[in-house]
Amino acid sequence: LNWWQADRYCEQHFAQLLFEPQDTEQGSFSKLLQSHHIRGSVWLKERDSVLHKTKRRRGHTVPVLVFRDKTDTKYVKVLSDFPALPAVTACAHLQWDTRTQDIATVFSYAVPAFINEFQLRGFVDEEGFVRFALIVHGHHSPYLPVFRADGQWHHFCVTWQQENGTWAIYADGKRRASASGLCSVGTSAPQAIYGQGTFIIGQDQDSLGGTFRAKESFSGNITDLHIWQKVLSTEQIEKVRSCWVVQQDLVFGWSSNALEVESTVQAVTTQLLCPGPVEECRVLEVGSSGFSYESCLQSLPFICLYSKDAYWQLQRAQLESSHSLASLVNTLAVRTVIPDSVFTSDVQDMNLSMALDALDILATVLRGGEVPVLEPSDLLAVLQLLKQVSDMEIQEGDELKMLEQLGQYYMEVTELILEEQNSGTWSSISQVIRGPMAVVELCDRMVSLLVPLLTPERTKIMIQHGNIGLQRVTVKNMWFGYGSLQRCLSGSGTSAVSQDMAASDGGQKVPSGWAGRDSGAVISSTLLSDFQEISTSVRYRLQHRVQVPPRGCNFCVSSLFLLHVSPDAGGMWSTAGCSVVMSLPDSTSCFCNHTTNFAILLQVYEMQRTAKEEFTLQTLTFIGCGVSFCALIATFILLLVVRVPKSERTTVHKNLIFALAAGEALLMFSELAKTNQVLCFMVTAFLHLFFMAAFSWMLVEGLLLWSKVVAVNMSEDRRMKFYYVTGWGLPVLIVGVTLATSFNKYVAANHCWLNVQTNVIWAFVGPVLFILAVNTLVLLRVVTVTVASARRRLKMLTPNSSLENQIGTQIWATAKPVLVLLPVLGLTWLCGVLVHLSIVWAYVFIVLNSLQGLYIFLVYAIYNSEVRNAIQRMKDKKKA
């Protein structure tokens, strides 16, 4: 099996995939495997890392073709010579225009002998799915659903090969349709796709390279089209979906230079969010006792690991079982739903119909009371089935009514196995299952399957059975009754527990939390978007539950409750990244978020960091910015109070200090604005303005230095007007244009700063990189002039000085302007470009730049001769 399937197999059998053996165990372990005739590579689970089935996402900037409406004029021609193709794969990213249900031609390839030689067509059906059909040699496949018509980016691949006319259509990494027979029939052998044809994107060719019809044209956006003269494997298609190009047998690679774009087709650049590279998983090389990595999608042998206590408890449960539940369920289903042994059952790739049927029959048997108390083997079998259902993948064409019914059966079965009479059974398998919190974890996984139920028209869903249920409202909530886990304390509790949730981006994301009603309790919370877990800030308001134990109970809490409250029992609340906003007698408000720090200012894509790293970055930012802000204010006041002689340089310093101090003050307290969408937007805009102004004045500092080094023919008054326009006018213009063009996608989802997902961040990073490049050139020029001047002065004053003295003088002549000019030219910000490489660079960047104000205070206030002379004059005047 591949790594994911192997890991799932072990988990469904109440074991774990084999962990990496310790150094001292490798030799003996390898010999043990060889004695059982196991050779080659074996999957391992690394002890200190977690692999997530959902791949990491990364930014991929590409040119996009925009076909705004269906017309008979818009087209794009591929400028490439196509060879004969006995096999072909074509892949692209696509956004489908959902405004029309007419057939649209994604691409068409025509040759003189056959106009419909190779073509992909599609349309939106009445159920809201895009259906694709492939045409080869004029033979037409059926239209089959491939992805939902939701206006989002989707990745597709189509494959065909000459042998038997085998074809397949993939969407978002999954094969949606496949068959054979898409080829010529009769006595002649199947033909390859002819070469030297014309490939058109967006139109159906009724003649070679022309005669387009608006009704069959494509409307939407397309990018990243690649064509190969072979059938790509599933692993290679996953790699292409991750925006990594397979170079072998590539016929056409996506490039603006290889396209003839009709004038009305708009070509823009955008950033796709692609899954990360195909992940590699750890393997043990049996025989060599060494370790290596293989693609997680490869099929390799694996070993499931049990603890001794868990294994013997499982064995005892199987030996002592009467198999009454399995017999009843399997008889009613007329097939094997529950196997006789949890050891021998295979991993089932369930579909929705199979899962619905299995849970319906199981719920019927449990509800009927024919098995009043579950045996340990029965409970394990039910949990195994629940694991298999929660691991199921929902297909695009699955009916939503069936999916909702599945959720109802799942909640009912969960409630029935947590009945009070089964408490002894739970205790008897405590070494295998860490208490009923395992059920909570299963339901938490199950809820991600129900995401398709939420639509713009249906924003609220509630599924409940007894004390267990889930509720999902734009934000998705699930709740789990105390009555299921804590029977003894549920009798007198009458106050409800409620949970209000608000996402930082106004509810575009879908938080998922377990909360209780009718004597319930908050159990867990997850945040989902586009079927995947994401990280953003959420605010919770939790209503208190007054717990008054019933008389005579004497806290005779069952083993279920003890398992529930113990971390070792499989679950507890995590406080990482969360803080109490407000605590009242009846409720508590908490805020859980990713923090804002200096390192995010030049981040051009999202970085995943641990809670400890986020806390360290925020702490360094707050301390550094606090010290820097105080130093900047002290410098600004000092320059005003001591009456330093007015000059261009002093005026520029004051403006730079003001802009930098304002930006750092806002950054320090931007955390407080996260809970208010309007306030967060305003803070982001002012942060953008003031940091852009700070860099603009750093540019002015560079221009001022240049004017001192290189003669500039401009009066001082005209120069100052130019400096003010550059220092304040340019930032206002940049921020104004950015707000006008990207108002609805300006702010990031998880902090008060520019959005990296929509490229708005480049409205800051782009100008910053330009300014830093200019100031670097200025610094190099200043250093060159300073060193040359020092060399001339040394020759004039001490012509016979030693070589060591000359070297020392030149080193100081080089170091002095660098040390003095670094803070005002902002060149320490160049470290910000490296924050994506390592967390260490993020720490370095924060330390250097959050202390920029302190540096300015030391260089331009404490050790500034003009300031010191002005202070001395004030002292002398006071004495006089």
Side-chain angles (χ1 to χ4, degrees):
L1 301 179
N2 67 38
W3 191 94
W4 309 110
Q5 293 169 336
D7 188 52
R8 187 176 68 179
Y9 180 94
C10 293
E11 188 198 5
Q12 289 182 5
H13 290 75
F14 308 100
Q16 287 184 314
L17 192 61
L18 181 66
F19 278 108
E20 183 177 323
Q22 303 290 351
D23 293 341
T24 56
E25 303 171 342
Q26 289 180 23
S28 58
F29 190 76
S30 184
K31 289 179 181 177
L32 175 64
L33 295 179
Q34 290 181 66
S35 68
H36 287 78
H37 309 292
I38 298 174
R39 299 286 188 273
S41 301
V42 176
W43 286 130
L44 290 177
K45 196 167 189 173
E46 294 184 75
R47 296 180 183 275
D48 300 323
S49 68
V50 179
L51 278 172
H52 299 282
K53 186 68 177 288
T54 302
K55 308 294 192 300
R56 299 179 302 276
R57 297 167 73 85
R58 67 182 183 91
H60 176 55
T61 303
V62 285
V64 175
L65 300 177
V66 179
F67 296 82
R68 289 198 179 278
D69 298 296
K70 294 173 73 69
T71 70
D72 59 358
T73 57
K74 291 185 172 67
Y75 75 95
V76 174
K77 182 179 179 181
V78 174
L79 304 177
S80 180
D81 293 327
F82 287 86
L85 300 171
V88 64
T89 299
C91 299
H93 282 90
L94 192 74
Q95 264 186 322
W96 198 274
D97 186 349
T98 59
R99 295 175 297 175
T100 175
Q101 292 187 328
D102 291 336
I103 289 175
T105 305
V106 180
F107 63 76
S108 63
Y109 176 75
V111 295
F114 223 120
I115 298 303
N116 294 326
E117 180 68 357
F118 180 46
Q119 190 177 123
L120 181 65
R121 300 156 68 89
F123 72 95
V124 179
D125 65 18
E126 294 179 354
E127 296 177 1
F129 288 92
V130 175
R131 290 176 174 263
F132 274 176
L134 191 63
I135 301 174
V136 179
H137 299 319
H139 297 276
H140 203 301
S141 79
Y143 284 98
L144 297 170
V146 288
F147 55 80
R148 189 175 290 278
D150 52 10
Q152 302 297 314
W153 280 105
H154 292 277
H155 183 261
F156 76 87
C157 288
V158 293
T159 68
W160 177 89
Q161 59 184 345
Q162 179 180 341
E163 185 179 355
N164 298 325
T166 304
W167 59 275
I169 300 177
Y170 295 79
D172 300 324
K174 298 176 183 177
R175 185 162 62 182
R176 304 298 186 183
S178 62
S180 59
L182 197 62
C183 57
S184 301
V185 293
T187 56
S188 61
Q191 298 292 317
I193 293 174
Y194 292 106
Q196 306 307 313
T198 301
F199 196 105
I200 298 292
I201 301 172
Q203 292 286 359
D204 178 17
Q205 305 173 61
D206 285 344
S207 63
L208 188 62
T211 316
F212 308 139
R213 289 189 292 177
K215 192 173 182 180
E216 295 180 344
S217 65
F218 172 70
S219 178
N221 304 326
I222 188 168
T223 186
D224 236 15
L225 174 67
H226 293 80
I227 303 169
W228 295 263
Q229 55 181 343
K230 69 171 184 178
V231 173
L232 296 186
S233 66
T234 303
E235 183 179 349
Q236 288 173 319
I237 287 174
E238 178 65 18
K239 192 173 183 180
V240 172
R241 177 174 170 249
S242 304
C243 307
W244 295 86
V245 179
V246 176
Q247 295 294 340
Q248 186 180 6
D249 295 320
L250 183 67
V251 175
F252 170 74
W254 188 246
S255 170
S256 301
N257 299 327
L259 299 173
E260 178 185 301
V261 183
E262 192 268 333
S263 58
T264 59
V265 176
Q266 188 179 1
V268 300
T269 300
T270 192
Q271 186 181 56
L272 294 176
L273 283 178
C274 308
V278 175
E279 293 192 68
E280 293 187 329
C281 298
R282 192 78 155 164
V283 295
L284 171 67
E285 302 292 348
V286 181
S288 65
S289 301
F291 300 107
S292 63
Y293 286 90
E294 297 286 351
S295 167
C296 298
L297 296 174
Q298 283 204 45
S299 294
L300 292 176
F302 64 95
I303 297 171
C304 296
L305 182 68
Y306 291 89
S307 70
K308 286 183 179 179
D309 292 338
Y311 182 80
W312 291 118
Q313 205 168 71
L314 277 168
Q315 287 281 25
R316 187 165 55 252
Q318 298 302 315
L319 292 172
E320 296 173 358
S321 173
S322 64
H323 303 294
S324 55
L325 179 68
S327 176
L328 287 168
V329 171
N330 295 338
T331 301
L332 191 59
V334 199
R335 65 182 178 91
T336 302
V337 174
I338 297 179
D340 290 335
S341 172
V342 294
F343 288 113
T344 57
S345 62
D346 295 327
V347 172
Q348 294 188 38
D349 287 324
M350 281 195 170
N351 57 37
L352 181 57
S353 178
M354 290 174 58
L356 188 63
D357 182 53
L359 289 187
D360 181 13
I361 293 170
L362 179 58
T364 301
V365 172
L366 293 174
R367 192 190 313 125
E370 296 179 63
V371 184
V373 179
L374 291 176
E375 296 178 351
S377 62
D378 296 336
L379 184 54
L380 289 169
V382 172
L383 289 171
Q384 188 175 56
L385 180 61
L386 291 177
K387 284 172 181 281
Q388 291 171 350
V389 173
S390 63
D391 285 333
M392 182 179 65
E393 292 188 357
I394 300 300
Q395 302 300 318
E396 292 287 357
D398 288 339
E399 292 185 19
L400 298 184
K401 287 184 179 178
M402 292 176 64
L403 184 58
E404 186 168 354
Q405 185 66 52
L406 180 70
Q408 291 171 350
Y409 285 146
Y410 201 97
M411 291 299 119
E412 182 176 2
V413 170
T414 302
E415 164 71 11
L416 291 170
I417 63 174
L418 289 172
E419 291 291 344
E420 190 171 6
Q421 64 267 24
N422 295 321
S423 59
T425 309
W426 280 101
S427 298
S428 68
I429 57 170
S430 59
Q431 296 299 321
V432 181
I433 295 293
R434 286 166 39 181
M437 281 303 293
V439 177
V440 177
E441 183 183 345
L442 288 175
C443 290
D444 207 20
R445 284 156 54 178
M446 175 65 193
V447 78
S448 62
L449 298 182
L450 306 181
V451 171
L453 296 177
L454 285 178
T455 64
E457 295 76 29
R458 188 184 186 188
T459 59
K460 183 174 182 178
I461 295 167
M462 188 169 184
I463 298 175
Q464 178 184 3
H465 189 275
N467 286 316
I468 300 176
L470 62 89
Q471 178 184 355
R472 300 159 77 201
V473 193
T474 304
V475 291
K476 178 189 66 180
N477 293 318
M478 285 197 303
W479 44 276
F480 212 93
Y482 250 47
S484 306
L485 302 181
Q486 187 189 358
R487 300 284 172 185
C488 188
L489 298 183
S490 64
S492 63
T494 57
S495 62
V497 175
S498 67
Q499 178 191 39
D500 296 334
M501 306 174 70
S504 63
D505 59 357
Q508 298 300 315
K509 303 292 185 286
V510 185
S512 141
W514 290 74
R517 300 194 178 205
D518 305 325
S519 304
V522 177
I523 303 296
S524 73
S525 179
T526 313
L527 199 64
L528 301 174
S529 178
D530 298 329
F531 300 84
Q532 300 178 18
E533 288 189 18
I534 59 167
S535 297
T536 189
S537 55
V538 181
R539 180 168 181 160
Y540 298 87
R541 185 180 66 82
L542 308 175
Q543 185 176 330
H544 296 169
R545 178 182 184 276
V546 180
Q547 296 184 8
V548 182
R551 292 181 181 179
C553 180
N554 296 323
F555 285 94
C556 51
V557 183
S558 68
S559 59
L560 297 181
F561 175 62
L562 294 176
L563 291 168
H564 161 61
V565 297
S566 169
D568 295 331
M572 65 180 300
W573 272 96
S574 170
T575 58
C578 298
S579 59
V580 175
V581 175
M582 181 170 54
S583 184
L584 300 173
D586 65 334
S587 65
T588 297
S589 293
C590 304
F591 186 65
C592 303
N593 68 305
H594 270 282
T595 53
T596 305
N597 58 72
F598 235 114
I600 69 163
L601 297 183
L602 289 182
Q603 272 183 203
V604 293
Y605 60 84
E606 290 286 358
M607 300 287 292
Q608 293 296 323
R609 297 191 176 101
T610 65
K612 184 178 180 181
E613 289 172 346
E614 290 278 2
F615 178 77
T616 305
L617 290 173
Q618 189 196 23
T619 303
L620 285 173
T621 298
F622 193 85
I623 295 172
C625 281
V627 173
S628 183
F629 176 77
C630 294
L632 288 169
I633 293 300
T635 308
F636 189 81
I637 293 172
L638 202 58
L639 291 176
L640 290 176
V641 171
V642 302
R643 298 176 185 175
V644 175
K646 188 176 180 181
S647 65
E648 284 181 323
R649 187 172 62 176
T650 305
T651 303
V652 171
H653 287 348
K654 288 177 183 177
N655 281 277
L656 169 60
I657 289 168
F658 176 80
L660 198 56
E664 291 188 350
L666 274 173
L667 184 66
M668 278 192 296
F669 297 102
S670 61
E671 293 295 307
L672 303 178
K674 285 183 179 179
T675 55
N676 187 307
Q677 189 177 2
V678 175
L679 186 58
C680 187
F681 188 97
M682 294 176 62
V683 167
T684 301
F686 279 110
L687 273 173
H688 190 190
L689 175 65
F690 284 121
F691 274 112
M692 199 68 256
F695 274 96
S696 297
W697 282 106
M698 292 176 201
L699 176 62
V700 171
E701 291 275 6
L703 296 175
L704 181 61
L705 277 169
W706 187 264
S707 69
K708 303 298 183 185
V709 175
V710 180
V712 177
N713 188 19
M714 185 185 293
S715 66
E716 184 175 332
D717 288 339
R718 288 179 62 192
R719 275 206 306 270
M720 281 310 303
K721 288 179 182 178
F722 174 74
Y723 292 159
Y724 273 112
V725 169
T726 303
W728 291 110
L730 186 61
V732 169
L733 178 65
I734 291 172
V735 174
V737 169
T738 307
L739 287 172
T741 57
S742 307
F743 188 84
N744 293 324
K745 49 187 179 180
Y746 185 72
V747 183
N750 54 353
H751 39 245
C752 297
W753 183 236
L754 302 178
N755 197 335
V756 300
Q757 307 289 354
T758 56
N759 285 333
V760 173
I761 187 65
W762 288 101
F764 177 73
V765 174
V768 166
L769 293 178
F770 171 76
I771 290 169
L772 293 178
V774 171
N775 282 356
T776 302
L777 293 175
V778 170
L779 181 62
L780 291 174
R781 178 62 176 165
V782 170
V783 169
T784 302
V785 172
T786 305
V787 170
S789 177
R791 191 184 298 117
R792 288 195 301 270
R793 190 182 305 111
L794 185 64
K795 287 182 179 179
M796 290 173 59
L797 299 178
T798 55
N800 299 321
S801 61
S802 64
L803 179 61
E804 291 81 4
N805 189 31
Q806 292 180 25
I807 293 173
T809 302
Q810 291 195 31
I811 291 174
W812 175 242
T814 303
K816 183 178 179 181
V818 171
L819 293 173
V820 171
L821 297 177
L822 271 179
V824 293
L825 295 183
L827 297 183
T828 52
W829 285 74
L830 286 171
C831 294
V833 180
L834 306 176
V835 297
H836 305 89
L837 301 179
S838 168
I839 187 66
V840 175
W841 282 111
Y843 293 144
V844 171
F845 176 62
I846 288 177
V847 170
L848 287 177
N849 292 287
S850 62
L851 297 177
Q852 187 178 9
L854 181 60
Y855 203 168
I856 289 174
F857 174 72
L858 294 174
V859 174
Y860 293 96
I862 300 300
Y863 296 108
N864 187 335
S865 58
E866 289 184 348
V867 173
R868 294 168 73 176
N869 291 336
I871 293 174
Q872 188 59 46
R873 285 196 300 272
M874 290 178 67
K875 288 181 178 179
D876 293 340
K877 187 175 180 181
K878 191 173 182 180
K879 287 180 181 178

